[in-house]
Amino acid sequence: MEFGRPVHRPRAWTIALALAAALSGCQSKGSVSEALDPAAIVAPNGQEASTAAGSRAAAGPPQATQSLGTGSTKVAMLLPLSAPGPAGETGRKMLDAAKLAMTDLGNGLLTLTIEDTRGDGAYAKDLAVKAITSGEKVVIGPTELPAAQHIAKLSGTKRPPVLALADNFAGGPGVYAVRLSEADSAAAGAAAIAAKGARKFVLLVAAGADAGAVEKRVANALSIYGATLAVTVPYSVADGGAKAVADMGSLVDAPEAVIVASGDGSPSAILAALKSKGIPGKATSLVGTNRWLEHPMDPLFDGAYIAALDLGETGPIADRFKTTFSYQPDVNVAYAYDMVALTAGIASAVGPDGFSKQVLENPSGFRGSTGLFRFRADGSSERSMPFYRVEKGALKLVAKSTSGF
């Protein structure tokens, strides 16, 4: 996307949306009950209400509702603007990204209403339900994972699409996962190695709620190339994964590749255990994930392959963002900018009632500041990412893209 030319609609959006426009049909205006099943709005047993009470106590003063743009397409954006710590910082960066995207593309097309979720999952859920049932054409956010997961479970025949910004969200029908998840990164990296001929893979995954999603995505990606996930070994971060590496040796003989999905923790401890077994080596490749890159580069990373976002794609908006807001943007800025830009692009090409599944799940995908991506019917996203090898503490490009659409 040529973000540096805000006067014209970017060529990449034009190409992607030309096909989308041909597939789309106008959506009829439904009632509140069609947008969302009223029986599903109230959380059962008051479980989320008790969660809200605890989290709101730690939140800062809430920010007032903000409105950007004067367009006919009504869009809600849910951000943790007053949340404490990193969550609030992320929310405020995303707000600045939305402002830039509206200036570039959206001011005459969208009316963007921005609500402060306070970093509270239950309150974010309530705001999302309100947006879904009050005539918004699209909901961007929330960033809170429990809220995104709750919304994905609700029924409604004519619910507007939700572009969820929660980290490691798997998605659901009509509730699309925007961010690159560890499952997607692991799957793309494994597929790239399988495409080169490797057939027997092992997955070492940090034990937790995300382990199953990582395993499923990796297995599916490998199956396309006739490769197999021979064994998945969840590991405990507490013992550094040493036991999992020892178990791996007894469970599978001579794997051709080992994937390490480390979750929130640093992979260094389990990489040390693997190195003692000669991995990576000539016979066995090592595949990491985007989550590794959240930690300082460790010499133990050397030799590993990683599929990750191309940060060079953010270049066209990065300079203008820094000039406008006086700080360096990060990937959170890119995600928020892309979703506002995507919404403006669809509103321009198809109109306010054009946010159909056919448009959003267009197989050709969309190109934004995070690269080429597309949404699937199950709400997950696919990205065409660069493939890197870690050499001397730096990422060296192996292939410009792990896949094409």
Side-chain angles (χ1 to χ4, degrees):
M1 180 186 292
E2 298 176 357
F3 290 103
R5 300 180 182 179
V7 174
H8 304 288
R9 182 147 45 87
R11 179 178 298 176
W13 291 113
T14 304
I15 293 171
L17 290 169
L19 175 59
L23 294 173
S24 68
C26 292
Q27 297 172 328
S28 61
K29 295 181 180 180
S31 66
V32 169
S33 62
E34 289 175 322
L36 197 64
D37 180 0
I41 292 176
V42 179
N45 301 324
Q47 182 176 357
E48 289 184 313
S50 62
T51 303
S55 57
R56 285 176 187 164
Q63 291 198 17
T65 299
Q66 303 180 48
S67 182
L68 304 175
T70 58
S72 59
T73 301
K74 294 172 60 180
V75 180
M77 191 171 194
L78 311 179
L79 299 175
L81 301 176
S82 64
E89 182 180 352
T90 293
R92 293 184 288 274
K93 287 178 179 179
M94 287 183 166
L95 173 59
D96 287 342
K99 291 177 179 177
L100 185 63
M102 289 294 287
T103 298
D104 285 355
L105 296 162
N107 275 339
L109 294 164
L110 311 178
T111 295
L112 183 66
T113 301
I114 300 166
E115 299 276 7
D116 179 13
T117 66
R118 311 171 192 173
D120 178 335
Y123 186 58
K125 180 265 295 183
D126 292 341
L127 289 177
V129 168
K130 179 182 176 182
I132 287 169
T133 57
S134 61
E136 305 289 346
K137 298 299 184 181
V138 181
V139 178
I140 302 174
T143 64
E144 294 82 2
L145 180 59
Q149 291 172 331
H150 180 86
I151 294 300
K153 295 176 183 177
L154 301 183
S155 60
T157 57
K158 294 184 179 179
R159 181 178 60 187
V162 177
L163 306 176
L165 294 167
D167 195 18
N168 279 318
F169 173 54
V175 185
Y176 300 99
V178 171
R179 303 174 68 97
L180 172 65
S181 71
E182 184 167 40
D184 295 329
S185 176
I193 296 297
K196 297 180 181 296
R199 290 295 175 264
K200 187 190 295 185
F201 287 72
V202 170
L203 171 63
L204 299 175
V205 58
D210 298 326
V214 175
E215 180 180 27
K216 181 179 178 180
R217 286 284 289 114
V218 169
N220 287 344
L222 292 177
S223 67
I224 296 171
Y225 296 92
T228 59
L229 185 56
V231 65
T232 297
V233 185
Y235 71 89
S236 168
V237 176
D239 73 359
K243 182 179 184 301
V245 172
D247 290 343
M248 178 187 75
S250 64
L251 293 170
V252 61
D253 183 46
E256 295 170 81
V258 175
I259 308 153
V260 175
S262 55
D264 294 333
S266 169
S268 294
I270 196 166
L271 295 183
L274 286 169
K275 187 174 182 180
S276 70
K277 303 291 186 181
I279 300 172
K282 289 183 178 180
T284 309
S285 298
L286 177 63
V287 179
T289 74
N290 62 311
R291 300 302 295 271
W292 290 24
L293 305 181
E294 297 173 4
H295 305 277
M297 279 287 187
D298 188 307
L300 290 166
F301 289 16
D302 276 14
Y305 293 93
I306 298 177
L309 296 179
D310 182 1
L311 298 182
E313 292 272 9
T314 65
I317 71 161
D319 292 341
R320 289 186 299 104
F321 186 93
K322 187 174 182 181
T323 298
T324 303
F325 299 106
S326 301
Y327 67 92
Q328 191 68 35
D330 61 13
V331 71
N332 298 302
V333 166
Y335 284 129
Y337 184 103
D338 281 358
M339 292 306 101
V340 176
L342 171 61
T343 304
I346 293 175
S348 176
V350 191
D353 293 317
F355 294 89
S356 64
K357 287 174 61 66
Q358 291 88 346
V359 171
L360 285 164
E361 296 168 17
N362 167 24
S364 297
F366 310 96
R367 180 174 292 281
S369 64
T370 54
L372 184 65
F373 64 94
R374 67 180 177 184
F375 296 124
R376 295 166 55 91
D378 64 359
S380 63
S381 60
E382 288 183 323
R383 291 183 175 273
S384 180
M385 294 174 283
F387 192 49
Y388 301 99
R389 189 173 189 270
V390 183
E391 294 184 5
K392 297 180 179 179
L395 295 175
K396 181 178 179 181
L397 186 66
V398 174
K400 291 183 179 180
S401 174
T402 55
S403 65
F405 297 156

